[in-house]
């Protein structure tokens, strides 16, 4: 019997392969997914990312058309009733063949996924988990289409109804954005949404809830298809048969419901981002009293965003690491007293917009975490993702256990303003658990204010720092009240107008760094690996993407796992205990400064630089960041040598709002600020926490592209493979099937 089944399946499968709509479906599937990722997301125009979730996210939506088309006219015809098979066997043969063809379609998109690795680094675990989830997703959709084909005799009506129902299933969790519904209906719509159950896979998480959902919906749809087929044949069901169908369907639904209670999440991401680390386990083991973690989450928010489930799951797994940790979830939507409590704690709600046919409404939502320990409280005011949650929890738990505050003292020494020119710094660092103290170099009590502080110094620019302020800064560091990060250079740029480079008025902090072994060369570094900026015509009708070599895009490296961008940085030469902290690519070179023209030491016009002949430059790896760690001599004050740690970045603009706006594109680029957090943690003596912070860092930039010519070559290669070779293979397969079918006829 097994051999007979195999022969029937093989014959049926090859019959399916001879149908033209199978190849039309494959052509639409492969071309659409490639075009969506590479063209709609502007992969080649400066907005590209190696995060494959952007590639996979379009698949459930194009499957609204391609899978019903794949299932078009594929049911067993009436004369197959003479084949000695049960209704279940016939449906499973049909289902298995369609599933194999769908998997073949998935295989056809793998080249498009692997080509991304030519531009950046893809995460293999993400690719494999997403493909696995899409197989389960496709199997469920195929089963649904088979069920619909059993309900309607007309294949055209079955096709149209399948498309309509799939469109509803894929996006039903979004209905609450536009229509106000009872909470139980919102929960139901969320649970049946196919797209909702794909979210975890995009994070390289195998979630049994999603797999069980797809498997059980498979079973439900196939069971109903068998039932409908038997009803259409006029079969009369006994009570036992009816009860059997009822029990089967009830079991399938109960399994789905219980899967939300008993589940397993397997984090296969490269950095185990969604799994508590050894550091967290060790930290929790030091707790000597009860810790209470309360997650205030609005139900209206959790019903709309699957990422909230990740937050709840991580908090649950985090809390079970220690017997002294209790965890509870509270819904502010259900209790106004909770809202009042949150407001008294300084936790502000966020506005969630919902659009109906006649109006737009805004709803206040909360997603805040409160940690309580021995009468003290730490707060994460708003969180939408679990990607950085372990770092946030660990940092705040350390504060509670040690009863210390993580300070950072900020000095803007180039005449700019922290609140306007560097206005990302304070909110960013506050969100990372730092307490920011700004020190104004123009105030007379600067030295006294510095005496009463501790923690790392962040000094940005020193063109306006006079000698007496530099003396106070050296004393602060040498007296071990805090280490420092110097973002300084002997040169400045007119960043708001001409981009002209000139010398600073003062270089006292630069001289302090040079006294400790960090020499600033009279040059500006450049690199083939550089930022790409959009230049617009006067009437804004045309735009041009240009590589700007003086804005260096550092490749991922030990102290900058995602890389970062430096603007007109000065190459460094080191001596003594100073060691490299950041380096350029081997394709780096430098421009000598022309001190005979002090108002503009260097040509900075991007169009002129692009036309410049670069064959005479010496290409080599250059140092553009240094760390001084050890005993160093004093320069401005009397006393013995002292142990210090200072990080020097020869660029006063790498945290500037305007400059980051130039290179951040529409989605923003916060790698420089992520680097800042990591560096300050190390300077604060929190190396383990810095490693935990790096755990959440993943480089999705297209850092492998070195110049415009290389980009054009790879772009051509991508277009040839994805929009010519693969479609031609599919079309050729369709023609072969067509002529074979014609010959048989």
């Amino acid at each position: 019997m097994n051999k007979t089944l195999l022969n029937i399946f093989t014959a049926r499968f090859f019959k399916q392969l001879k149908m033209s709509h199978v190849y039309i479906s494959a052509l639409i599937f492969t071309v659409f997914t490639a075009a969506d990722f590479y063209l709609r997301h502007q992969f080649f125009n400066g907005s590209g990312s190696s995060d494959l979730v952007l590639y996979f996210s379009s698949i459930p939506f194009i499957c609204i058309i391609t899978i019903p088309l794949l299932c078009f006219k594929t049911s067993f015809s009436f004369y197959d009733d003479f084949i000695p098979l049960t209704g279940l066997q016939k449906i499973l043969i049909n289902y298995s063949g369609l599933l194999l063809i769908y998997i073949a379609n998935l295989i056809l998109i793998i080249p498009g996924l692997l080509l991304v690795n030519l531009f950046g680094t893809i995460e293999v675990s993400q690719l494999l988990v997403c493909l696995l989830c899409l197989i389960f997703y496709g199997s469920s959709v195929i089963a649904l289409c088979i069920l619909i084909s059993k309900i309607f005799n007309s294949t055209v009506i079955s096709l149209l109804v399948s498309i309509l129902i799939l469109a509803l299933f894929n996006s039903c969790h979004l209905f609450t954005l536009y229509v106000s519904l009872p909470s139980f209906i919102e929960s139901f719509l969320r649970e049946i949404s196919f797209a909702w159950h794909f979210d975890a896979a995009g994070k390289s998480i195998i979630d049994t809830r999603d797999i069980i959902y797809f498997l059980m919906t498979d079973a439900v749809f196939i069971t109903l298809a068998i039932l409908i087929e038997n009803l259409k044949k006029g079969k009369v069901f006994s009570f036992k048969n009816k009860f059997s169908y009822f029990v089967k369907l009830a079991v399938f639904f109960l399994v789905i419901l219980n899967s939300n209670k008993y589940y397993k999440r397997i984090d296969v991401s490269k950095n185990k981002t969604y799994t508590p680390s050894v550091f967290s386990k060790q930290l929790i083991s030091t707790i000597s009293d009860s810790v209470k973690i309360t997650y205030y989450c609005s139900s209206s928010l959790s019903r709309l965003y699957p990422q909230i489930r990740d937050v709840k799951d991580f908090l649950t797994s985090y809390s079970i690491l220690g017997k002294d940790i209790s965890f509870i979830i509270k819904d502010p939507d259900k209790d106004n007293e909770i809202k009042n409590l949150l407001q008294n704690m300084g936790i502000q709600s966020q506005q969630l917009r919902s659009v109906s046919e006649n109006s737009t409404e805004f709803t206040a939502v909360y997603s805040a975490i409160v940690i309580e320990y021995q009468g003290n409280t730490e707060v994460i005011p708003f969180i939408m993702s679990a990607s950085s949650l372990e770092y946030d929890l660990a940092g705040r738990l350390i504060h509670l256990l040690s009863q210390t505050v993580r300070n950072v003292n900020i000095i803007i020494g180039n005449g700019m303003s922290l609140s306007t020119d560097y206005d990302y710094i304070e909110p960013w660092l506050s969100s990372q658990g730092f307490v920011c103290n700004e020190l104004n170099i123009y105030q007379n009590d600067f030295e006294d204010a510095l005496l009463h502080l501790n923690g790392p110094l962040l000094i940005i620019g020193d063109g306006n720092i006079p000698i007496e302020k530099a003396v106070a800064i050296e004393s602060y560091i040498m007296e071990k009240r805090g280490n420092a990060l110097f973002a300084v250079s002997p040169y400045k740029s007119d960043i708001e107008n001409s981009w002209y480079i000139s010398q600073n008025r003062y270089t006292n902090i630069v001289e302090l760094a040079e006294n400790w072994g960090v020499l600033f060369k009279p040059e500006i570094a450049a690199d083939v690996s550089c930022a790409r900026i959009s230049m617009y015509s006067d009437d804004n009708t045309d735009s041009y993407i240009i590589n700007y070599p003086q804005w260096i895009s550092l490749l991922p490296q030990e102290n900058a796992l995602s890389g970062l961008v430096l603007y007109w940085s000065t190459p460094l030469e080191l001596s003594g205990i100073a060691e490299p902290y950041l380096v350029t690519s081997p394709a780096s070179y430098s421009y000598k400064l022309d001190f005979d023209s002090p108002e503009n030491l260097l040509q900075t016009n991007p169009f002129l630089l692009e036309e410049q002949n670069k064959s005479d430059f010496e290409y080599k790896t250059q140092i553009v960041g240094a760390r001084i760690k050890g005993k160093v001599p004093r320069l401005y004050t009397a006393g013995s040598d002292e142990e210090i740690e200072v990080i020097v970045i020869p660029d006063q603009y790498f945290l500037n709002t305007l400059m980051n706006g130039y290179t951040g594109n529409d989605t923003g680029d916060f790698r420089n600020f992520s680097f800042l957090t990591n560096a300050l943690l190390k300077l604060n003596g929190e190396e383990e926490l810095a490693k935990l912070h790096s755990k959440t860092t993943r480089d999705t930039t297209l850092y492998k592209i070195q110049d415009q010519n290389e980009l054009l070559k790879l772009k051509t290669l991508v277009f040839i493979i994805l929009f010519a070779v693969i479609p031609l293979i599919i079309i050729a397969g369709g023609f072969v099937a067509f002529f074979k079918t014609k010959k048989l006829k």
Side-chain angles (χ1 to χ4, degrees), residues 217 314 611 634 685 714:
T217 51
F314 188 88
E611 296 171 359
R634 297 171 183 261
L714 290 177

Side-chain angles (χ1 to χ4, degrees), residues 559-626:
N559 296 309
L561 293 181
S562 296
L564 69 155
V565 179
L566 297 180
Y567 309 93
W568 300 298
S569 59
T570 308
L572 302 174
E573 189 175 304
L574 308 182
S575 63
I577 62 170
E579 59 185 19
Y581 196 74
L582 295 174
V583 296
T584 65
S585 79
S588 176
Y589 52 98
S590 60
Y591 291 91
K592 303 289 185 182
L593 298 178
D594 181 9
F595 293 98
D596 292 331
S597 55
E599 292 184 359
N600 185 19
L601 302 174
L602 178 70
Q603 179 58 255
T604 58
N605 187 306
F607 292 105
L608 295 178
L609 291 177
E610 188 177 42
E611 296 171 359
Q612 189 178 48
N613 183 6
K614 299 181 178 63
S615 59
D616 294 334
F617 287 109
E618 179 186 0
Y619 291 86
K620 62 181 180 179
T621 299
Q622 300 190 88
I623 300 169
V624 286

